[in-house]
Structure formats: structure tokens, C-alpha cells
Amino acid sequence: MSDSIEYISVLKKILTLLKNSKLEYLKASDESNHSKDKRYFNLQSTLRNRFFQDVTKLLRSLNVEVESLVIHRLNFEQMVISSIKKSNHTHLYNCVKYDKKLLELYDEALAFDKNALFLNNQQEKVSESVSEGIYFL
């Protein structure tokens, strides 16, 4: 029972990071001047959104009420404040930072459920984007 609660907690953290990562990739796309880079960042944002939906489906299968999660609703006030506040880091840097945290959380989730192949596939794609992001930086 304790393991399932921890597993659900890790999945919720993954959802939060996927949402934040998606937003950062969109911001990186807006910031970019090259169409090739914009396409790449938009693709990564779309992937994070798809991953978010997959993890949401998994949580529903575990009888977790996803609609009640704060991460499912957009916090517009927080988004406005974060867009006004200037950071010392680029959006790409933040994307890589979020993705590295995601990799750690995927490891934790896979330790609970080694049969969740889609989590493994997501982890591989995020790992590729970390490598590409570090190259861009």
C-alpha cells in the first residue's frame, strides 16, 4: 500500500514537471529566431503534452482523481508573474534542467513498475532531448 502511494506521488511530480517543461519549450520557441529551432522546440512541447496525457491516463487507471489535481488546472496568475520576472537563465537552460529532473523521476517510477513500457519510452525521448539541449547550450 505504501509503495502505491509513493508511486502515485512520483507520477504526480512527473506531471508537474511535464507541464512546466512544456511551457518552457513553448517559451524557447517564442524566443528563437530560426525556424528549424522553433520547430524543434514546438515538437518537444508537443511531446511533453502527449507524455502528460499518457501519465494522466495511467493515474486514472490507478483510480486517482486527476481532475482534482492542481497541476491539471493552469495557474494563470503564476504564469503571468513568471513571465514578468526575468531569469538569468535562458528558456533552453530551464528546459534541460526540467528534463534532467524528469529523468530522475522516471527512474523512481520505473523502480515501482518495471512493466510501464511507455514510461521507459518517455524516459528515452527525454534523455535524447537533454543531450540535444546540452549541445544547443
Side-chain angles (χ1 to χ4, degrees), residues 25 40 44 48 95-101 103 123-137:
Y25 275 109
Y40 171 77
Q44 292 303 317
R48 298 308 178 280
C95 292
V96 171
K97 182 177 77 171
Y98 286 136
D99 284 350
K100 285 182 176 180
K101 289 179 185 176
L103 292 176
Q123 184 182 39
E124 288 174 11
K125 291 194 185 306
V126 170
S127 179
E128 290 171 15
S129 69
V130 167
S131 299
E132 292 168 354
I134 289 172
Y135 176 76
F136 276 125
L137 286 174

mmCIF file with all atom_site columns, all heavy atoms in Angstrom, residues 25 40 44 48 95-101 103 123-137:
data_model
loop_
_atom_site.group_PDB
_atom_site.id
_atom_site.type_symbol
_atom_site.label_atom_id
_atom_site.label_alt_id
_atom_site.label_comp_id
_atom_site.label_asym_id
_atom_site.label_entity_id
_atom_site.label_seq_id
_atom_site.pdbx_PDB_ins_code
_atom_site.Cartn_x
_atom_site.Cartn_y
_atom_site.Cartn_z
_atom_site.occupancy
_atom_site.B_iso_or_equiv
_atom_site.pdbx_formal_charge
_atom_site.auth_seq_id
_atom_site.auth_comp_id
_atom_site.auth_asym_id
_atom_site.auth_atom_id
_atom_site.pdbx_PDB_model_num
ATOM 1   N N   . TYR A 1 25  ? 9.475  24.926 -23.166 1.00 0.00 ? 25  TYR A N   1
ATOM 2   C CA  . TYR A 1 25  ? 9.773  24.687 -24.578 1.00 0.00 ? 25  TYR A CA  1
ATOM 3   C C   . TYR A 1 25  ? 8.994  25.657 -25.467 1.00 0.00 ? 25  TYR A C   1
ATOM 4   O O   . TYR A 1 25  ? 9.514  26.127 -26.481 1.00 0.00 ? 25  TYR A O   1
ATOM 5   C CB  . TYR A 1 25  ? 9.488  23.238 -24.977 1.00 0.00 ? 25  TYR A CB  1
ATOM 6   C CG  . TYR A 1 25  ? 10.649 22.312 -24.690 1.00 0.00 ? 25  TYR A CG  1
ATOM 7   C CD1 . TYR A 1 25  ? 10.586 21.379 -23.668 1.00 0.00 ? 25  TYR A CD1 1
ATOM 8   C CD2 . TYR A 1 25  ? 11.822 22.391 -25.440 1.00 0.00 ? 25  TYR A CD2 1
ATOM 9   C CE1 . TYR A 1 25  ? 11.665 20.536 -23.400 1.00 0.00 ? 25  TYR A CE1 1
ATOM 10  C CE2 . TYR A 1 25  ? 12.898 21.555 -25.176 1.00 0.00 ? 25  TYR A CE2 1
ATOM 11  C CZ  . TYR A 1 25  ? 12.810 20.641 -24.158 1.00 0.00 ? 25  TYR A CZ  1
ATOM 12  O OH  . TYR A 1 25  ? 13.887 19.815 -23.904 1.00 0.00 ? 25  TYR A OH  1
ATOM 13  N N   . TYR A 1 40  ? 11.785 22.466 -33.631 1.00 0.00 ? 40  TYR A N   1
ATOM 14  C CA  . TYR A 1 40  ? 12.293 21.525 -32.634 1.00 0.00 ? 40  TYR A CA  1
ATOM 15  C C   . TYR A 1 40  ? 11.649 21.785 -31.270 1.00 0.00 ? 40  TYR A C   1
ATOM 16  O O   . TYR A 1 40  ? 11.168 20.856 -30.616 1.00 0.00 ? 40  TYR A O   1
ATOM 17  C CB  . TYR A 1 40  ? 13.816 21.635 -32.526 1.00 0.00 ? 40  TYR A CB  1
ATOM 18  C CG  . TYR A 1 40  ? 14.375 20.849 -31.363 1.00 0.00 ? 40  TYR A CG  1
ATOM 19  C CD1 . TYR A 1 40  ? 14.511 19.473 -31.432 1.00 0.00 ? 40  TYR A CD1 1
ATOM 20  C CD2 . TYR A 1 40  ? 14.717 21.499 -30.173 1.00 0.00 ? 40  TYR A CD2 1
ATOM 21  C CE1 . TYR A 1 40  ? 14.986 18.749 -30.345 1.00 0.00 ? 40  TYR A CE1 1
ATOM 22  C CE2 . TYR A 1 40  ? 15.199 20.779 -29.093 1.00 0.00 ? 40  TYR A CE2 1
ATOM 23  C CZ  . TYR A 1 40  ? 15.335 19.405 -29.186 1.00 0.00 ? 40  TYR A CZ  1
ATOM 24  O OH  . TYR A 1 40  ? 15.800 18.696 -28.106 1.00 0.00 ? 40  TYR A OH  1
ATOM 25  N N   . GLN A 1 44  ? 9.115  19.352 -29.111 1.00 0.00 ? 44  GLN A N   1
ATOM 26  C CA  . GLN A 1 44  ? 9.381  18.926 -27.735 1.00 0.00 ? 44  GLN A CA  1
ATOM 27  C C   . GLN A 1 44  ? 8.208  19.289 -26.819 1.00 0.00 ? 44  GLN A C   1
ATOM 28  O O   . GLN A 1 44  ? 7.820  18.503 -25.955 1.00 0.00 ? 44  GLN A O   1
ATOM 29  C CB  . GLN A 1 44  ? 10.680 19.542 -27.211 1.00 0.00 ? 44  GLN A CB  1
ATOM 30  C CG  . GLN A 1 44  ? 11.922 19.029 -27.898 1.00 0.00 ? 44  GLN A CG  1
ATOM 31  C CD  . GLN A 1 44  ? 12.062 17.520 -27.808 1.00 0.00 ? 44  GLN A CD  1
ATOM 32  O OE1 . GLN A 1 44  ? 11.836 16.912 -26.776 1.00 0.00 ? 44  GLN A OE1 1
ATOM 33  N NE2 . GLN A 1 44  ? 12.413 16.907 -28.926 1.00 0.00 ? 44  GLN A NE2 1
ATOM 34  N N   . ARG A 1 48  ? 5.884  16.673 -24.703 1.00 0.00 ? 48  ARG A N   1
ATOM 35  C CA  . ARG A 1 48  ? 5.629  16.780 -23.258 1.00 0.00 ? 48  ARG A CA  1
ATOM 36  C C   . ARG A 1 48  ? 4.119  16.746 -22.990 1.00 0.00 ? 48  ARG A C   1
ATOM 37  O O   . ARG A 1 48  ? 3.670  16.165 -22.012 1.00 0.00 ? 48  ARG A O   1
ATOM 38  C CB  . ARG A 1 48  ? 6.222  18.066 -22.669 1.00 0.00 ? 48  ARG A CB  1
ATOM 39  C CG  . ARG A 1 48  ? 7.739  18.210 -22.774 1.00 0.00 ? 48  ARG A CG  1
ATOM 40  C CD  . ARG A 1 48  ? 8.475  17.009 -22.246 1.00 0.00 ? 48  ARG A CD  1
ATOM 41  N NE  . ARG A 1 48  ? 9.905  17.112 -22.380 1.00 0.00 ? 48  ARG A NE  1
ATOM 42  C CZ  . ARG A 1 48  ? 10.591 16.882 -23.496 1.00 0.00 ? 48  ARG A CZ  1
ATOM 43  N NH1 . ARG A 1 48  ? 9.990  16.581 -24.614 1.00 0.00 ? 48  ARG A NH1 1
ATOM 44  N NH2 . ARG A 1 48  ? 11.909 16.949 -23.511 1.00 0.00 ? 48  ARG A NH2 1
ATOM 45  N N   . CYS A 1 95  ? 14.656 24.262 -19.808 1.00 0.00 ? 95  CYS A N   1
ATOM 46  C CA  . CYS A 1 95  ? 14.141 23.028 -20.410 1.00 0.00 ? 95  CYS A CA  1
ATOM 47  C C   . CYS A 1 95  ? 15.037 21.846 -20.039 1.00 0.00 ? 95  CYS A C   1
ATOM 48  O O   . CYS A 1 95  ? 14.548 20.788 -19.631 1.00 0.00 ? 95  CYS A O   1
ATOM 49  C CB  . CYS A 1 95  ? 14.082 23.147 -21.935 1.00 0.00 ? 95  CYS A CB  1
ATOM 50  S SG  . CYS A 1 95  ? 12.859 24.309 -22.552 1.00 0.00 ? 95  CYS A SG  1
ATOM 51  N N   . VAL A 1 96  ? 16.337 22.040 -20.172 1.00 0.00 ? 96  VAL A N   1
ATOM 52  C CA  . VAL A 1 96  ? 17.291 20.973 -19.860 1.00 0.00 ? 96  VAL A CA  1
ATOM 53  C C   . VAL A 1 96  ? 17.230 20.644 -18.365 1.00 0.00 ? 96  VAL A C   1
ATOM 54  O O   . VAL A 1 96  ? 17.239 19.467 -17.976 1.00 0.00 ? 96  VAL A O   1
ATOM 55  C CB  . VAL A 1 96  ? 18.727 21.366 -20.287 1.00 0.00 ? 96  VAL A CB  1
ATOM 56  C CG1 . VAL A 1 96  ? 19.756 20.380 -19.769 1.00 0.00 ? 96  VAL A CG1 1
ATOM 57  C CG2 . VAL A 1 96  ? 18.813 21.488 -21.803 1.00 0.00 ? 96  VAL A CG2 1
ATOM 58  N N   . LYS A 1 97  ? 17.106 21.673 -17.538 1.00 0.00 ? 97  LYS A N   1
ATOM 59  C CA  . LYS A 1 97  ? 17.024 21.459 -16.090 1.00 0.00 ? 97  LYS A CA  1
ATOM 60  C C   . LYS A 1 97  ? 15.786 20.627 -15.738 1.00 0.00 ? 97  LYS A C   1
ATOM 61  O O   . LYS A 1 97  ? 15.870 19.650 -14.983 1.00 0.00 ? 97  LYS A O   1
ATOM 62  C CB  . LYS A 1 97  ? 16.984 22.811 -15.377 1.00 0.00 ? 97  LYS A CB  1
ATOM 63  C CG  . LYS A 1 97  ? 16.941 22.720 -13.865 1.00 0.00 ? 97  LYS A CG  1
ATOM 64  C CD  . LYS A 1 97  ? 16.986 24.090 -13.218 1.00 0.00 ? 97  LYS A CD  1
ATOM 65  C CE  . LYS A 1 97  ? 15.611 24.711 -13.353 1.00 0.00 ? 97  LYS A CE  1
ATOM 66  N NZ  . LYS A 1 97  ? 15.441 25.939 -12.594 1.00 0.00 ? 97  LYS A NZ  1
ATOM 67  N N   . TYR A 1 98  ? 14.636 20.991 -16.295 1.00 0.00 ? 98  TYR A N   1
ATOM 68  C CA  . TYR A 1 98  ? 13.410 20.224 -16.042 1.00 0.00 ? 98  TYR A CA  1
ATOM 69  C C   . TYR A 1 98  ? 13.541 18.796 -16.553 1.00 0.00 ? 98  TYR A C   1
ATOM 70  O O   . TYR A 1 98  ? 13.106 17.846 -15.907 1.00 0.00 ? 98  TYR A O   1
ATOM 71  C CB  . TYR A 1 98  ? 12.197 20.880 -16.696 1.00 0.00 ? 98  TYR A CB  1
ATOM 72  C CG  . TYR A 1 98  ? 11.701 22.126 -16.000 1.00 0.00 ? 98  TYR A CG  1
ATOM 73  C CD1 . TYR A 1 98  ? 11.342 23.250 -16.727 1.00 0.00 ? 98  TYR A CD1 1
ATOM 74  C CD2 . TYR A 1 98  ? 11.566 22.175 -14.616 1.00 0.00 ? 98  TYR A CD2 1
ATOM 75  C CE1 . TYR A 1 98  ? 10.869 24.392 -16.099 1.00 0.00 ? 98  TYR A CE1 1
ATOM 76  C CE2 . TYR A 1 98  ? 11.100 23.316 -13.980 1.00 0.00 ? 98  TYR A CE2 1
ATOM 77  C CZ  . TYR A 1 98  ? 10.753 24.421 -14.726 1.00 0.00 ? 98  TYR A CZ  1
ATOM 78  O OH  . TYR A 1 98  ? 10.290 25.541 -14.100 1.00 0.00 ? 98  TYR A OH  1
ATOM 79  N N   . ASP A 1 99  ? 14.123 18.644 -17.739 1.00 0.00 ? 99  ASP A N   1
ATOM 80  C CA  . ASP A 1 99  ? 14.252 17.308 -18.317 1.00 0.00 ? 99  ASP A CA  1
ATOM 81  C C   . ASP A 1 99  ? 15.177 16.420 -17.490 1.00 0.00 ? 99  ASP A C   1
ATOM 82  O O   . ASP A 1 99  ? 14.929 15.225 -17.348 1.00 0.00 ? 99  ASP A O   1
ATOM 83  C CB  . ASP A 1 99  ? 14.735 17.392 -19.768 1.00 0.00 ? 99  ASP A CB  1
ATOM 84  C CG  . ASP A 1 99  ? 13.634 17.830 -20.724 1.00 0.00 ? 99  ASP A CG  1
ATOM 85  O OD1 . ASP A 1 99  ? 12.455 17.881 -20.304 1.00 0.00 ? 99  ASP A OD1 1
ATOM 86  O OD2 . ASP A 1 99  ? 13.949 18.121 -21.893 1.00 0.00 ? 99  ASP A OD2 1
ATOM 87  N N   . LYS A 1 100 ? 16.229 16.986 -16.937 1.00 0.00 ? 100 LYS A N   1
ATOM 88  C CA  . LYS A 1 100 ? 17.114 16.190 -16.073 1.00 0.00 ? 100 LYS A CA  1
ATOM 89  C C   . LYS A 1 100 ? 16.373 15.713 -14.825 1.00 0.00 ? 100 LYS A C   1
ATOM 90  O O   . LYS A 1 100 ? 16.535 14.573 -14.393 1.00 0.00 ? 100 LYS A O   1
ATOM 91  C CB  . LYS A 1 100 ? 18.353 17.004 -15.677 1.00 0.00 ? 100 LYS A CB  1
ATOM 92  C CG  . LYS A 1 100 ? 19.366 17.145 -16.785 1.00 0.00 ? 100 LYS A CG  1
ATOM 93  C CD  . LYS A 1 100 ? 20.580 17.929 -16.309 1.00 0.00 ? 100 LYS A CD  1
ATOM 94  C CE  . LYS A 1 100 ? 21.650 17.992 -17.380 1.00 0.00 ? 100 LYS A CE  1
ATOM 95  N NZ  . LYS A 1 100 ? 22.829 18.740 -16.924 1.00 0.00 ? 100 LYS A NZ  1
ATOM 96  N N   . LYS A 1 101 ? 15.538 16.585 -14.262 1.00 0.00 ? 101 LYS A N   1
ATOM 97  C CA  . LYS A 1 101 ? 14.733 16.181 -13.102 1.00 0.00 ? 101 LYS A CA  1
ATOM 98  C C   . LYS A 1 101 ? 13.740 15.100 -13.503 1.00 0.00 ? 101 LYS A C   1
ATOM 99  O O   . LYS A 1 101 ? 13.482 14.167 -12.740 1.00 0.00 ? 101 LYS A O   1
ATOM 100 C CB  . LYS A 1 101 ? 13.995 17.392 -12.518 1.00 0.00 ? 101 LYS A CB  1
ATOM 101 C CG  . LYS A 1 101 ? 14.893 18.379 -11.813 1.00 0.00 ? 101 LYS A CG  1
ATOM 102 C CD  . LYS A 1 101 ? 14.087 19.545 -11.282 1.00 0.00 ? 101 LYS A CD  1
ATOM 103 C CE  . LYS A 1 101 ? 14.990 20.601 -10.678 1.00 0.00 ? 101 LYS A CE  1
ATOM 104 N NZ  . LYS A 1 101 ? 14.236 21.794 -10.235 1.00 0.00 ? 101 LYS A NZ  1
ATOM 105 N N   . LEU A 1 103 ? 14.147 12.840 -15.780 1.00 0.00 ? 103 LEU A N   1
ATOM 106 C CA  . LEU A 1 103 ? 14.863 11.571 -15.897 1.00 0.00 ? 103 LEU A CA  1
ATOM 107 C C   . LEU A 1 103 ? 14.988 10.881 -14.546 1.00 0.00 ? 103 LEU A C   1
ATOM 108 O O   . LEU A 1 103 ? 14.812 9.660  -14.439 1.00 0.00 ? 103 LEU A O   1
ATOM 109 C CB  . LEU A 1 103 ? 16.241 11.781 -16.528 1.00 0.00 ? 103 LEU A CB  1
ATOM 110 C CG  . LEU A 1 103 ? 16.253 12.193 -18.000 1.00 0.00 ? 103 LEU A CG  1
ATOM 111 C CD1 . LEU A 1 103 ? 17.674 12.470 -18.466 1.00 0.00 ? 103 LEU A CD1 1
ATOM 112 C CD2 . LEU A 1 103 ? 15.593 11.124 -18.864 1.00 0.00 ? 103 LEU A CD2 1
ATOM 113 N N   . GLN A 1 123 ? 11.123 8.218  -21.049 1.00 0.00 ? 123 GLN A N   1
ATOM 114 C CA  . GLN A 1 123 ? 12.427 8.497  -20.469 1.00 0.00 ? 123 GLN A CA  1
ATOM 115 C C   . GLN A 1 123 ? 13.501 8.559  -21.559 1.00 0.00 ? 123 GLN A C   1
ATOM 116 O O   . GLN A 1 123 ? 14.359 9.431  -21.541 1.00 0.00 ? 123 GLN A O   1
ATOM 117 C CB  . GLN A 1 123 ? 12.782 7.446  -19.425 1.00 0.00 ? 123 GLN A CB  1
ATOM 118 C CG  . GLN A 1 123 ? 14.093 7.720  -18.713 1.00 0.00 ? 123 GLN A CG  1
ATOM 119 C CD  . GLN A 1 123 ? 14.446 6.634  -17.718 1.00 0.00 ? 123 GLN A CD  1
ATOM 120 O OE1 . GLN A 1 123 ? 14.226 5.453  -17.973 1.00 0.00 ? 123 GLN A OE1 1
ATOM 121 N NE2 . GLN A 1 123 ? 14.992 7.034  -16.586 1.00 0.00 ? 123 GLN A NE2 1
ATOM 122 N N   . GLU A 1 124 ? 13.433 7.646  -22.512 1.00 0.00 ? 124 GLU A N   1
ATOM 123 C CA  . GLU A 1 124 ? 14.411 7.629  -23.602 1.00 0.00 ? 124 GLU A CA  1
ATOM 124 C C   . GLU A 1 124 ? 14.314 8.899  -24.448 1.00 0.00 ? 124 GLU A C   1
ATOM 125 O O   . GLU A 1 124 ? 15.337 9.497  -24.806 1.00 0.00 ? 124 GLU A O   1
ATOM 126 C CB  . GLU A 1 124 ? 14.204 6.402  -24.484 1.00 0.00 ? 124 GLU A CB  1
ATOM 127 C CG  . GLU A 1 124 ? 14.621 5.114  -23.824 1.00 0.00 ? 124 GLU A CG  1
ATOM 128 C CD  . GLU A 1 124 ? 14.276 3.877  -24.654 1.00 0.00 ? 124 GLU A CD  1
ATOM 129 O OE1 . GLU A 1 124 ? 13.890 4.024  -25.837 1.00 0.00 ? 124 GLU A OE1 1
ATOM 130 O OE2 . GLU A 1 124 ? 14.387 2.766  -24.111 1.00 0.00 ? 124 GLU A OE2 1
ATOM 131 N N   . LYS A 1 125 ? 13.101 9.329  -24.747 1.00 0.00 ? 125 LYS A N   1
ATOM 132 C CA  . LYS A 1 125 ? 12.921 10.542 -25.552 1.00 0.00 ? 125 LYS A CA  1
ATOM 133 C C   . LYS A 1 125 ? 13.398 11.785 -24.798 1.00 0.00 ? 125 LYS A C   1
ATOM 134 O O   . LYS A 1 125 ? 14.009 12.669 -25.376 1.00 0.00 ? 125 LYS A O   1
ATOM 135 C CB  . LYS A 1 125 ? 11.471 10.681 -25.986 1.00 0.00 ? 125 LYS A CB  1
ATOM 136 C CG  . LYS A 1 125 ? 11.055 9.637  -27.002 1.00 0.00 ? 125 LYS A CG  1
ATOM 137 C CD  . LYS A 1 125 ? 9.754  9.997  -27.657 1.00 0.00 ? 125 LYS A CD  1
ATOM 138 C CE  . LYS A 1 125 ? 9.238  8.946  -28.595 1.00 0.00 ? 125 LYS A CE  1
ATOM 139 N NZ  . LYS A 1 125 ? 10.104 8.501  -29.620 1.00 0.00 ? 125 LYS A NZ  1
ATOM 140 N N   . VAL A 1 126 ? 13.110 11.839 -23.510 1.00 0.00 ? 126 VAL A N   1
ATOM 141 C CA  . VAL A 1 126 ? 13.563 12.970 -22.697 1.00 0.00 ? 126 VAL A CA  1
ATOM 142 C C   . VAL A 1 126 ? 15.089 12.965 -22.608 1.00 0.00 ? 126 VAL A C   1
ATOM 143 O O   . VAL A 1 126 ? 15.732 14.021 -22.694 1.00 0.00 ? 126 VAL A O   1
ATOM 144 C CB  . VAL A 1 126 ? 12.915 12.947 -21.298 1.00 0.00 ? 126 VAL A CB  1
ATOM 145 C CG1 . VAL A 1 126 ? 13.565 13.959 -20.364 1.00 0.00 ? 126 VAL A CG1 1
ATOM 146 C CG2 . VAL A 1 126 ? 11.412 13.202 -21.398 1.00 0.00 ? 126 VAL A CG2 1
ATOM 147 N N   . SER A 1 127 ? 15.681 11.790 -22.491 1.00 0.00 ? 127 SER A N   1
ATOM 148 C CA  . SER A 1 127 ? 17.137 11.675 -22.437 1.00 0.00 ? 127 SER A CA  1
ATOM 149 C C   . SER A 1 127 ? 17.768 12.201 -23.731 1.00 0.00 ? 127 SER A C   1
ATOM 150 O O   . SER A 1 127 ? 18.778 12.914 -23.692 1.00 0.00 ? 127 SER A O   1
ATOM 151 C CB  . SER A 1 127 ? 17.539 10.221 -22.204 1.00 0.00 ? 127 SER A CB  1
ATOM 152 O OG  . SER A 1 127 ? 18.930 10.085 -22.163 1.00 0.00 ? 127 SER A OG  1
ATOM 153 N N   . GLU A 1 128 ? 17.161 11.862 -24.861 1.00 0.00 ? 128 GLU A N   1
ATOM 154 C CA  . GLU A 1 128 ? 17.651 12.378 -26.148 1.00 0.00 ? 128 GLU A CA  1
ATOM 155 C C   . GLU A 1 128 ? 17.566 13.897 -26.194 1.00 0.00 ? 128 GLU A C   1
ATOM 156 O O   . GLU A 1 128 ? 18.494 14.563 -26.667 1.00 0.00 ? 128 GLU A O   1
ATOM 157 C CB  . GLU A 1 128 ? 16.834 11.799 -27.305 1.00 0.00 ? 128 GLU A CB  1
ATOM 158 C CG  . GLU A 1 128 ? 17.061 10.330 -27.556 1.00 0.00 ? 128 GLU A CG  1
ATOM 159 C CD  . GLU A 1 128 ? 16.072 9.755  -28.571 1.00 0.00 ? 128 GLU A CD  1
ATOM 160 O OE1 . GLU A 1 128 ? 15.390 10.533 -29.285 1.00 0.00 ? 128 GLU A OE1 1
ATOM 161 O OE2 . GLU A 1 128 ? 15.974 8.520  -28.641 1.00 0.00 ? 128 GLU A OE2 1
ATOM 162 N N   . SER A 1 129 ? 16.463 14.447 -25.706 1.00 0.00 ? 129 SER A N   1
ATOM 163 C CA  . SER A 1 129 ? 16.311 15.904 -25.750 1.00 0.00 ? 129 SER A CA  1
ATOM 164 C C   . SER A 1 129 ? 17.276 16.603 -24.802 1.00 0.00 ? 129 SER A C   1
ATOM 165 O O   . SER A 1 129 ? 17.715 17.719 -25.070 1.00 0.00 ? 129 SER A O   1
ATOM 166 C CB  . SER A 1 129 ? 14.869 16.323 -25.474 1.00 0.00 ? 129 SER A CB  1
ATOM 167 O OG  . SER A 1 129 ? 14.510 16.087 -24.149 1.00 0.00 ? 129 SER A OG  1
ATOM 168 N N   . VAL A 1 130 ? 17.648 15.940 -23.694 1.00 0.00 ? 130 VAL A N   1
ATOM 169 C CA  . VAL A 1 130 ? 18.666 16.515 -22.797 1.00 0.00 ? 130 VAL A CA  1
ATOM 170 C C   . VAL A 1 130 ? 19.993 16.612 -23.542 1.00 0.00 ? 130 VAL A C   1
ATOM 171 O O   . VAL A 1 130 ? 20.662 17.650 -23.499 1.00 0.00 ? 130 VAL A O   1
ATOM 172 C CB  . VAL A 1 130 ? 18.818 15.684 -21.503 1.00 0.00 ? 130 VAL A CB  1
ATOM 173 C CG1 . VAL A 1 130 ? 20.078 16.074 -20.739 1.00 0.00 ? 130 VAL A CG1 1
ATOM 174 C CG2 . VAL A 1 130 ? 17.598 15.847 -20.615 1.00 0.00 ? 130 VAL A CG2 1
ATOM 175 N N   . SER A 1 131 ? 20.360 15.543 -24.229 1.00 0.00 ? 131 SER A N   1
ATOM 176 C CA  . SER A 1 131 ? 21.614 15.555 -24.994 1.00 0.00 ? 131 SER A CA  1
ATOM 177 C C   . SER A 1 131 ? 21.599 16.644 -26.051 1.00 0.00 ? 131 SER A C   1
ATOM 178 O O   . SER A 1 131 ? 22.582 17.384 -26.215 1.00 0.00 ? 131 SER A O   1
ATOM 179 C CB  . SER A 1 131 ? 21.849 14.204 -25.667 1.00 0.00 ? 131 SER A CB  1
ATOM 180 O OG  . SER A 1 131 ? 21.953 13.196 -24.708 1.00 0.00 ? 131 SER A OG  1
ATOM 181 N N   . GLU A 1 132 ? 20.474 16.760 -26.757 1.00 0.00 ? 132 GLU A N   1
ATOM 182 C CA  . GLU A 1 132 ? 20.366 17.791 -27.789 1.00 0.00 ? 132 GLU A CA  1
ATOM 183 C C   . GLU A 1 132 ? 20.372 19.185 -27.177 1.00 0.00 ? 132 GLU A C   1
ATOM 184 O O   . GLU A 1 132 ? 20.978 20.109 -27.713 1.00 0.00 ? 132 GLU A O   1
ATOM 185 C CB  . GLU A 1 132 ? 19.100 17.574 -28.630 1.00 0.00 ? 132 GLU A CB  1
ATOM 186 C CG  . GLU A 1 132 ? 19.173 16.322 -29.474 1.00 0.00 ? 132 GLU A CG  1
ATOM 187 C CD  . GLU A 1 132 ? 17.834 15.934 -30.089 1.00 0.00 ? 132 GLU A CD  1
ATOM 188 O OE1 . GLU A 1 132 ? 16.801 16.566 -29.771 1.00 0.00 ? 132 GLU A OE1 1
ATOM 189 O OE2 . GLU A 1 132 ? 17.821 14.989 -30.883 1.00 0.00 ? 132 GLU A OE2 1
ATOM 190 N N   . GLY A 1 133 ? 19.684 19.344 -26.042 1.00 0.00 ? 133 GLY A N   1
ATOM 191 C CA  . GLY A 1 133 ? 19.650 20.645 -25.371 1.00 0.00 ? 133 GLY A CA  1
ATOM 192 C C   . GLY A 1 133 ? 21.015 21.085 -24.886 1.00 0.00 ? 133 GLY A C   1
ATOM 193 O O   . GLY A 1 133 ? 21.387 22.252 -25.019 1.00 0.00 ? 133 GLY A O   1
ATOM 194 N N   . ILE A 1 134 ? 21.779 20.136 -24.344 1.00 0.00 ? 134 ILE A N   1
ATOM 195 C CA  . ILE A 1 134 ? 23.135 20.461 -23.884 1.00 0.00 ? 134 ILE A CA  1
ATOM 196 C C   . ILE A 1 134 ? 23.992 20.869 -25.086 1.00 0.00 ? 134 ILE A C   1
ATOM 197 O O   . ILE A 1 134 ? 24.785 21.809 -25.011 1.00 0.00 ? 134 ILE A O   1
ATOM 198 C CB  . ILE A 1 134 ? 23.749 19.262 -23.127 1.00 0.00 ? 134 ILE A CB  1
ATOM 199 C CG1 . ILE A 1 134 ? 23.037 19.098 -21.774 1.00 0.00 ? 134 ILE A CG1 1
ATOM 200 C CG2 . ILE A 1 134 ? 25.254 19.437 -22.926 1.00 0.00 ? 134 ILE A CG2 1
ATOM 201 C CD1 . ILE A 1 134 ? 23.402 17.844 -21.015 1.00 0.00 ? 134 ILE A CD1 1
ATOM 202 N N   . TYR A 1 135 ? 23.793 20.196 -26.211 1.00 0.00 ? 135 TYR A N   1
ATOM 203 C CA  . TYR A 1 135 ? 24.530 20.553 -27.431 1.00 0.00 ? 135 TYR A CA  1
ATOM 204 C C   . TYR A 1 135 ? 24.176 21.981 -27.861 1.00 0.00 ? 135 TYR A C   1
ATOM 205 O O   . TYR A 1 135 ? 25.059 22.758 -28.217 1.00 0.00 ? 135 TYR A O   1
ATOM 206 C CB  . TYR A 1 135 ? 24.208 19.563 -28.538 1.00 0.00 ? 135 TYR A CB  1
ATOM 207 C CG  . TYR A 1 135 ? 24.847 19.910 -29.865 1.00 0.00 ? 135 TYR A CG  1
ATOM 208 C CD1 . TYR A 1 135 ? 26.199 19.697 -30.092 1.00 0.00 ? 135 TYR A CD1 1
ATOM 209 C CD2 . TYR A 1 135 ? 24.087 20.487 -30.874 1.00 0.00 ? 135 TYR A CD2 1
ATOM 210 C CE1 . TYR A 1 135 ? 26.796 20.035 -31.295 1.00 0.00 ? 135 TYR A CE1 1
ATOM 211 C CE2 . TYR A 1 135 ? 24.670 20.832 -32.086 1.00 0.00 ? 135 TYR A CE2 1
ATOM 212 C CZ  . TYR A 1 135 ? 26.016 20.605 -32.293 1.00 0.00 ? 135 TYR A CZ  1
ATOM 213 O OH  . TYR A 1 135 ? 26.588 20.951 -33.480 1.00 0.00 ? 135 TYR A OH  1
ATOM 214 N N   . PHE A 1 136 ? 22.884 22.334 -27.822 1.00 0.00 ? 136 PHE A N   1
ATOM 215 C CA  . PHE A 1 136 ? 22.446 23.692 -28.187 1.00 0.00 ? 136 PHE A CA  1
ATOM 216 C C   . PHE A 1 136 ? 23.032 24.727 -27.259 1.00 0.00 ? 136 PHE A C   1
ATOM 217 O O   . PHE A 1 136 ? 23.374 25.826 -27.685 1.00 0.00 ? 136 PHE A O   1
ATOM 218 C CB  . PHE A 1 136 ? 20.917 23.813 -28.161 1.00 0.00 ? 136 PHE A CB  1
ATOM 219 C CG  . PHE A 1 136 ? 20.225 23.363 -29.408 1.00 0.00 ? 136 PHE A CG  1
ATOM 220 C CD1 . PHE A 1 136 ? 19.228 22.404 -29.330 1.00 0.00 ? 136 PHE A CD1 1
ATOM 221 C CD2 . PHE A 1 136 ? 20.541 23.899 -30.642 1.00 0.00 ? 136 PHE A CD2 1
ATOM 222 C CE1 . PHE A 1 136 ? 18.566 21.993 -30.472 1.00 0.00 ? 136 PHE A CE1 1
ATOM 223 C CE2 . PHE A 1 136 ? 19.880 23.493 -31.780 1.00 0.00 ? 136 PHE A CE2 1
ATOM 224 C CZ  . PHE A 1 136 ? 18.892 22.531 -31.710 1.00 0.00 ? 136 PHE A CZ  1
ATOM 225 N N   . LEU A 1 137 ? 23.113 24.399 -25.956 1.00 0.00 ? 137 LEU A N   1
ATOM 226 C CA  . LEU A 1 137 ? 23.637 25.363 -24.982 1.00 0.00 ? 137 LEU A CA  1
ATOM 227 C C   . LEU A 1 137 ? 25.115 25.609 -25.245 1.00 0.00 ? 137 LEU A C   1
ATOM 228 O O   . LEU A 1 137 ? 25.631 26.666 -25.127 1.00 0.00 ? 137 LEU A O   1
ATOM 229 C CB  . LEU A 1 137 ? 23.443 24.851 -23.557 1.00 0.00 ? 137 LEU A CB  1
ATOM 230 C CG  . LEU A 1 137 ? 22.015 24.908 -23.030 1.00 0.00 ? 137 LEU A CG  1
ATOM 231 C CD1 . LEU A 1 137 ? 21.938 24.227 -21.661 1.00 0.00 ? 137 LEU A CD1 1
ATOM 232 C CD2 . LEU A 1 137 ? 21.513 26.330 -22.925 1.00 0.00 ? 137 LEU A CD2 1
#
